[in-house]
């Protein structure tokens, strides 16, 4: 829905332009002024939002912003000793202890969002370090999910993504062309939570350095879809029907 995409893009543009000061995301905006360094959850939701806009628009700017948010979240909040992510950054005012946001309430926790979105970004980029940080958040909440699953619904979603062999869908073609749109319609015709989607007009090896684009190219001069799992792909196809069969 174009109006929703436009609203999302404008909202994220505001956050990144007005609330990012000297490369540091801030938490509050009032009367034209920003204050307080952002928490881990702020970076987590910026990461989620940028990935969602990227998959809706295929504008690589949003993938770069997602990579920025992920890298900064790891730098500022990751706990390399016991796993997961602290709530406040190492550059913020230090408390007696550094808490970790784990429980999924009305708003999912920072660790839950990071556990899911870092996995998704890792599938697109091939960055295994991001995947390792995501898994560390899952391990941190493993026993808690068993004891009280209703308190960790979003973390369970991240766990489901991890064990579900998610689809990595690449379509090489002009996003505005009819042959590309027919393939996209297959991917979007029903809710597929355990997937990542990458659409680009690049042909052949990727100049962007994305692992998921390596050795992907058009076939027979038409938009071509690849369904992959852990970067190993089924036979490429130009057919919407065959793509639907591969996705199941």
């Amino acid at each position: 829905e174009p109006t929703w995409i436009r609203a999302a893009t404008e909202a994220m543009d505001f956050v990144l332009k007005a609330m990012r000061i000297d490369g540091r995301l801030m938490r509050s905006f009032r009367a034209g002024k920003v204050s307080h360094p952002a928490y881990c959850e702020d970076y987590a939701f910026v990461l989620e939002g940028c990935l969602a806009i990227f998959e809706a628009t295929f504008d690589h700017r949003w993938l770069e912003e997602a990579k920025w948010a992920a890298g900064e979240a790891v730098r500022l909040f990751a706990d390399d000793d016991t796993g997961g992510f602290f709530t406040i950054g190492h550059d913020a005012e230090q408390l007696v202890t550094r808490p970790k946001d784990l429980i999924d309430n009305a708003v999912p926790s920072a660790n839950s969002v990071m556990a899911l979105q870092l996995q998704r970004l890792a599938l697109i980029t091939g960055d295994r370090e991001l995947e390792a940080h995501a898994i560390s958040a899952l391990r941190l909440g493993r026993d808690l999910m068993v004891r009280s699953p209703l308190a960790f619904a979003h973390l369970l979603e991240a766990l489901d993504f991890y064990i579900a062999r998610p689809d990595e869908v690449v379509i090489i073609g002009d996003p505005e062309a009819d042959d590309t749109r027919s393939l996209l319609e297959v991917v979007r015709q029903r809710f597929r939570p355990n997937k990542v989607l990458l659409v680009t007009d690049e042909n052949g090896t990727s100049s962007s350095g994305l692992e998921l684009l390596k050795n992907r190219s058009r076939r027979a001069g038409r938009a071509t879809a690849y369904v992959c799992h852990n970067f190993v792909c089924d036979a490429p196809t130009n057919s919407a029907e065959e793509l639907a069969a591969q996705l199941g």
Side-chain angles (χ1 to χ4, degrees), residues 26-243:
M26 305 301 284
R27 184 166 176 83
S28 301
F29 180 95
R30 182 176 184 275
K33 296 182 180 180
V34 295
S35 60
H36 308 299
Y39 296 161
C40 184
E41 68 174 9
D42 302 311
Y43 280 88
F45 285 119
V46 166
L47 167 58
E48 181 177 38
C50 287
L51 278 181
I53 296 172
F54 171 65
E55 288 193 332
T57 65
F58 319 119
D59 182 345
H60 277 249
R61 171 202 167 191
W62 296 108
L63 180 59
E64 292 305 310
E65 294 289 15
K67 289 161 65 177
W68 170 82
E72 286 297 285
V74 168
R75 183 180 71 86
L76 291 167
F77 306 101
D79 182 352
D80 294 327
D81 295 325
T82 60
F85 296 86
F86 293 109
T87 299
I88 61 172
H90 65 72
D91 62 340
E93 180 181 353
Q94 296 304 297
L95 306 177
V96 176
T97 61
R98 290 180 74 188
K100 290 180 181 176
D101 182 20
L102 292 172
I103 297 176
D104 293 321
N105 291 302
V107 176
S109 74
N111 276 276
S112 297
V113 177
M114 293 298 291
L116 178 57
Q117 300 305 324
L118 288 180
Q119 287 185 79
R120 299 182 68 245
L121 184 58
L123 285 182
I124 295 173
T125 63
D127 189 333
R128 297 298 186 183
E129 183 178 349
L130 294 181
E131 182 183 44
H133 283 292
I135 294 170
S136 80
L138 287 173
R139 287 177 174 156
L140 185 66
R142 179 184 57 188
D143 294 338
L144 298 172
M145 285 187 280
V146 173
R147 282 163 30 199
S148 184
L150 293 181
F152 299 92
H154 199 67
L155 192 59
L156 284 166
E157 185 179 347
L159 177 62
D160 183 63
F161 190 94
Y162 178 68
I163 64 178
R165 195 170 174 261
D167 295 320
E168 304 149 22
V169 183
V170 179
I171 300 176
I172 307 296
D174 180 356
E176 300 301 323
D178 289 341
D179 56 350
T180 303
R181 289 181 176 275
S182 68
L183 296 174
L184 265 174
E185 186 177 349
V186 172
V187 181
R188 290 174 166 168
Q189 66 186 356
R190 66 181 177 86
F191 180 51
R192 302 176 188 275
N194 294 326
K195 76 163 191 330
V196 294
L197 174 63
L198 180 56
V199 179
T200 181
D201 208 13
E202 295 184 33
N203 202 25
T205 57
S206 168
S207 60
S208 63
L210 296 178
E211 184 71 22
L212 202 52
L213 286 183
K214 288 184 178 179
N215 302 317
R216 315 285 183 252
S217 60
R218 295 174 190 255
R219 299 299 172 94
R222 297 169 54 204
T224 303
Y226 296 79
V227 177
C228 313
H229 301 95
N230 200 24
F231 303 105
V232 177
C233 301
D234 295 338
T237 182
N238 309 115
S239 163
E241 292 76 15
E242 187 173 343
L243 175 58

